[in-house]
Amino acid sequence: MNAPVELLICATCKRPDGDPDAPRPGAVLAERVAAEGLPEGVSLRVVECLSNCSRGCTVALRGGPRWTYVYGNFAPEADVPTLLDGVARYAASADGLVPWRERPEHFKRNCIARIPPLEAADA
């Protein structure tokens, strides 16, 4: 079995319309993801700022010996199925490297960063 995975969702990004009283998009995304349920071995962690404010709702995937990925531009109203599909593919991988052709389109087009595991093999 693969190491556990964390899905981190930024809950502090502001709405594009600037309405300070409206729910934060990342908080809405996290609520919807939690309501849908996560793949086995994946936990949800809502976090303060992932410092990617200009790229919409931002998430990060990390876990054990895997590469960490940061993705942006998720729409809480529409992208929950896509996010959960990408999370499941990531969780099923031993190293976090999901082949390009197997990634959901959103993951191909909205990758912000790819960070090596803490104990990465020397190049």
Side-chain angles (χ1 to χ4, degrees), residues 50-63:
L50 286 174
S51 199
N52 190 45
C53 304
S54 66
R55 300 274 307 264
C57 285
T58 300
V59 306
L61 289 168
R62 68 180 180 187

Side-chain angles (χ1 to χ4, degrees), residues 29 32-33 72-85 106-107 110:
L29 180 64
R32 291 184 176 185
V33 164
N73 292 320
F74 284 97
E77 300 81 16
D79 290 333
V80 171
T82 298
L83 177 56
L84 291 174
D85 179 30
H106 191 95
F107 283 66
N110 293 282

